[in-house]
């Protein structure tokens, strides 16, 4: 049986895919509601709210390559496996910190000094981002260890993204229900459609719901996912050390270490494309609530219903990605995903008073974002190939570019939007933000993709010492040399 036809059993695919569910739930709240919560609900200034997000992104960006490096070189806790050990450490950190981020300190109210709010929130944000990074990197690093062929990696990544979509749908569905019940609450007879301190309780219940659901799915992952455990210098044996998927003879060749990746052009090609992908997905997710409430003047329940529509459409598109990518290749599928994002940007640019038509635009943005995110992760897995011993470093480095770029992007936008702006300026500001972070970054991503079409992703193993101590100066491994 060929390597191309072998894949994990459905049960193993599902238990693996839910391993990032807790992270996905938290990330959905982080990117969609952090600025909304701290600026519109708690009452921080634009720059202070942006500073919290920037600190979190920088902490995450610094942690990811360091965790990736340590994850590659440490053996793990006993027979538990190095990737699952780091995953457990990260999950515990997220478990201990996340509920406090969306809860004001005891005794705090709308008159609490902003400095006190920052001092309270920053430590929890740093612990949360460390845990989030540890969970993300360890979970991604399992992909090239569980499966070897390109289409199997796309399939496993699609499963992972499908649960990412389910997590986002869960968050937005719960948020919509909480806002709906709040408007029916007798304690809120005015039925205000504007966000304010009265919504603190809503975000507290949302955070605690996310916390509980995520914990359950993390337990399922650790009980159901089996990581092979063996030392780098040992031969595979029966039981834990035997690979779940038979590997090709390429694994007996030279091994890439972290420093070798830094001189590989393909490493930077994929990193730039991944950064653009995350900028589109995360910044649009962060600023669409502001766009809905400020530019389109829609009621506050739209900050739950519109993201919900986006991720339902993303779920649908994730189901057809595997057969499409198998027919036209990963790179071409990524390009297909960019098209609806560009159409969304053009629609927003022309339609200043979109109103209910924003649902149609949300379908375009959600479906396109799903495709490019899965394809960029698949390209990263293909770049790593059989070099799983340094796979966590590669994912960590990719995530570093993503986190720092997103943090700086948010801070720049927040700085350009001073609080003294008039309402008319605010309407145009968030309108322009949505156009630039989708259409503008999509153009840059398309240019990055062109470099991959012209110079296919390949690893040139210069001066790499293999396990026997010899050197290989000429071996070259084409990872994505043609569109399959």
């Amino acid at each position: 049986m060929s390597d191309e036809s072998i894949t994990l059993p459905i049960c193993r695919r599902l238990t693996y895919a839910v391993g990032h569910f807790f992270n996905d739930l938290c990330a959905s709240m982080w990117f969609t509601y952090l600025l909304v919560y701290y600026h519109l609900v708690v009452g921080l200034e634009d720059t202070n709210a942006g500073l919290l997000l920037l600190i979190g992104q920088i902490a995450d960006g610094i942690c990811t390559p360091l965790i990736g490096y340590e994850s590659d070189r440490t053996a793990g806790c006993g027979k538990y496996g190095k990737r699952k050990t780091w995953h457990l450490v990260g999950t515990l950190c997220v478990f201990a910190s996340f509920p406090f981020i969306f809860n004001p300190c005891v005794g705090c109210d709308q008159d609490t000094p902003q400095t006190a709010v920052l001092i309270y929130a920053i430590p929890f944000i740093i612990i949360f981002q460390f845990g989030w990074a540890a969970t993300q990197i360890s979970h991604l690093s399992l992909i090239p260890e569980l499966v070897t062929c390109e289409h199997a990696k796309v399939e496993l990544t699609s499963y992972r993204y499908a649960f990412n979509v389910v997590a986002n749908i869960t968050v937005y569905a719960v948020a919509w229900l909480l806002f709906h019940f709040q408007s029916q609450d007798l304690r809120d007879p005015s039925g205000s459609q504007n966000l304010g301190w009265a919504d603190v309780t809503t975000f507290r219940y949302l955070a605690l719901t996310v916390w509980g659901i995520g914990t359950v799915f993390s337990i399922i992952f650790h009980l159901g996912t089996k990581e092979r455990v063996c030392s780098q210098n040992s031969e595979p044996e029966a039981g834990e050390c035997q690979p779940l998927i038979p590997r090709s003879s390429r694994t007996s060749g030279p091994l890439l270490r972290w420093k070798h990746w830094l001189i590989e052009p393909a490493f930077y090609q994929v990193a730039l494309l991944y950064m653009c992908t995350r900028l589109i997905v995360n910044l649009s997710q962060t600023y669409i609530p502001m766009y809905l409430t400020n530019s389109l003047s829609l009621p506050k329940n739209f900050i739950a219903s519109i993201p919900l529509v986006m991720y339902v459409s993303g779920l649908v598109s994730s189901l057809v990605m595997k057969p499409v990518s198998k027919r036209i290749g990963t790179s071409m599928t990524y390009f297909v995903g960019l098209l609806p994002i560009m159409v969304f940007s053009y629609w927003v640019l022309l339609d200043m008073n979109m109103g209910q038509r924003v649902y149609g635009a949300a379908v375009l943005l959600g479906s396109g974002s799903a495709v490019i995110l899965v394809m960029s992760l698949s390209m990263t897995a293909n770049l790593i190939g059989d070099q799983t011993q340094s796979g966590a470093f590669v994912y960590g480095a990719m995530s570093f570019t993503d986190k720092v770029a997103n943090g700086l992007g948010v801070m720049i936008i927040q700085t350009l939007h001073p609080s003294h702006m008039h309402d008319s300026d605010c309407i145009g500001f968030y309108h322009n933000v949505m156009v630039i972070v989708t259409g503008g970054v999509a153009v840059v991503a398309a240019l990055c993709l062109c470099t991959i079409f012209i110079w296919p992703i390949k690893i040139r193993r210069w001066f790499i010492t293999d396990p026997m101590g010899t050197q290989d100066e000429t071996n070259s491994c084409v990872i994505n040399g043609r569109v399959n």
Side-chain angles (χ1 to χ4, degrees):
M1 182 179 294
S2 68
D3 182 58
E4 303 293 328
S5 62
I6 302 174
T7 187
L8 287 175
I10 182 65
C11 182
R12 290 288 179 85
R13 278 177 274 170
L14 291 174
T15 55
Y16 165 79
V18 302
H20 206 253
F21 197 73
F22 196 1
N23 262 22
D24 291 332
L25 290 168
C26 295
S28 178
M29 282 199 67
W30 173 265
F31 284 110
T32 307
Y33 295 131
L34 187 82
L35 291 182
V36 171
Y37 176 74
Y38 278 101
H39 178 50
L40 299 180
V41 177
V42 177
L44 294 186
E45 295 178 357
D46 295 278
T47 51
N48 285 337
L51 180 63
L52 288 177
L53 196 145
L54 175 62
I55 289 173
Q57 293 303 102
I58 290 178
D60 195 351
I62 292 173
C63 289
T64 43
L66 296 178
I67 291 171
Y69 175 75
E70 288 297 324
S71 177
D72 286 330
R73 65 191 293 269
T74 55
C77 184
K79 294 185 177 181
Y80 201 60
K82 59 183 180 180
R83 309 302 188 193
K84 287 183 64 179
T85 297
W86 277 98
H87 189 286
L88 180 61
V89 170
T91 300
L92 292 175
C93 289
V94 173
F95 177 87
S97 60
F98 181 75
F100 297 97
I101 296 175
F102 287 91
N103 274 293
C105 56
V106 177
C108 293
D109 56 26
Q110 60 264 49
D111 297 322
T112 301
Q114 297 198 15
T115 303
V117 176
L118 295 175
I119 293 174
Y120 165 80
I122 287 174
F124 290 115
I125 287 175
I126 293 174
I127 295 171
F128 163 69
Q129 291 293 356
F130 170 82
W132 202 97
T135 305
Q136 180 200 35
I137 297 305
S138 57
H139 193 254
L140 285 171
S141 301
L142 279 170
I143 294 178
E145 294 194 10
L146 296 178
V147 292
T148 56
C149 71
E150 178 178 352
H151 301 311
K153 291 172 185 175
V154 172
E155 180 183 48
L156 204 55
T157 307
S158 296
Y159 271 81
R160 184 180 184 274
Y161 184 77
F163 277 97
N164 171 276
V165 173
V166 172
N168 282 273
I169 290 173
T170 301
V171 170
Y172 300 134
V174 173
W176 183 87
L177 288 172
L178 289 173
F179 281 123
H180 175 73
F181 290 135
Q182 182 198 49
S183 66
Q184 305 298 323
D185 198 328
L186 294 177
R187 293 171 294 178
D188 184 27
S190 62
S192 175
Q193 296 300 313
N194 298 319
L195 290 165
W197 184 261
D199 296 292
V200 164
T201 303
T202 300
F203 283 97
R204 177 187 296 125
Y205 290 154
L206 180 58
L208 292 176
T209 302
V210 163
W211 184 66
I213 296 174
T215 301
V216 171
F217 279 92
S218 294
I219 293 172
I220 293 173
F221 165 79
H222 280 277
L223 293 178
T225 300
K226 183 179 180 181
E227 178 185 356
R228 67 190 185 98
V229 181
C230 55
S231 65
Q232 279 189 328
N233 298 322
S234 66
E235 292 295 326
E237 300 175 356
E240 284 285 328
C241 284
Q242 187 168 355
L244 294 173
I245 299 295
R247 298 179 180 275
S248 64
S249 60
R250 291 179 300 167
T251 55
S252 61
L255 300 178
L256 282 164
R257 301 303 178 189
W258 68 269
K259 59 185 178 181
H260 299 125
W261 288 109
L262 299 180
I263 59 174
E264 289 292 343
F267 176 80
Y268 296 98
Q269 283 179 288
V270 176
L272 188 57
L273 189 67
Y274 183 76
M275 182 187 73
C276 291
T277 302
R278 282 296 187 176
L279 282 173
I280 293 171
V281 174
N282 293 343
L283 290 185
S284 63
Q285 186 178 3
T286 298
Y287 282 100
I288 201 162
M290 302 292 192
Y291 171 68
L292 295 171
T293 56
N294 289 278
S295 296
L296 300 183
S297 301
L298 295 171
K300 62 184 179 182
N301 63 295
F302 273 74
I303 70 173
S305 60
I306 291 300
L308 181 61
V309 170
M310 288 172 53
Y311 278 92
V312 168
S313 61
L315 178 61
V316 174
S317 61
S318 69
L319 299 177
V320 300
M321 270 185 279
K322 183 188 176 183
V324 171
S325 66
K326 190 171 184 179
R327 179 174 293 272
I328 67 176
T330 303
S331 298
M332 278 301 300
T333 307
Y334 186 98
F335 177 74
V336 170
L338 281 178
L339 295 180
I341 294 175
M342 293 180 177
V343 174
F344 167 85
S345 176
Y346 189 65
W347 190 350
V348 172
L349 177 65
L350 296 181
D351 196 346
M352 292 289 293
N353 299 305
M354 193 173 292
Q356 297 291 331
R357 293 187 296 277
V358 72
Y359 283 105
V363 171
L364 292 174
L365 181 59
S367 58
S369 296
V371 173
I372 64 172
L373 184 55
V374 171
M375 291 303 106
S376 64
L377 289 172
S378 297
M379 288 180 188
T380 306
N382 293 335
L383 173 68
I384 295 170
D386 60 346
Q387 299 292 333
T388 58
Q389 75 288 337
S390 57
F393 171 78
V394 175
Y395 281 117
M398 300 295 168
S399 188
F400 173 80
T401 64
D402 144 41
K403 300 307 188 316
V404 174
N406 277 284
L408 291 176
V410 168
M411 199 62 199
I412 291 171
I413 293 171
Q414 293 299 104
T415 303
L416 292 175
H417 176 47
S419 57
H420 61 265
M421 267 190 171
H422 298 296
D423 290 341
S424 58
D425 295 328
C426 186
I427 291 173
F429 179 80
Y430 287 116
H431 174 268
N432 293 334
V433 167
M434 286 306 298
V435 172
I436 293 171
V437 301
T438 53
V441 181
V443 171
V444 177
L447 295 176
C448 297
L449 190 63
C450 288
T451 68
I452 294 177
F453 285 127
I454 298 172
W455 299 286
I457 299 172
K458 64 172 66 176
I459 295 176
R460 296 174 177 84
R461 298 170 178 170
W462 305 111
F463 303 102
I464 301 173
T465 303
D466 67 16
M468 301 301 295
T470 60
Q471 286 188 332
D472 185 345
E473 302 180 11
T474 59
N475 188 18
S476 176
C477 177
V478 177
I479 300 298
N480 195 18
R482 65 181 181 86
V483 177
N484 294 314

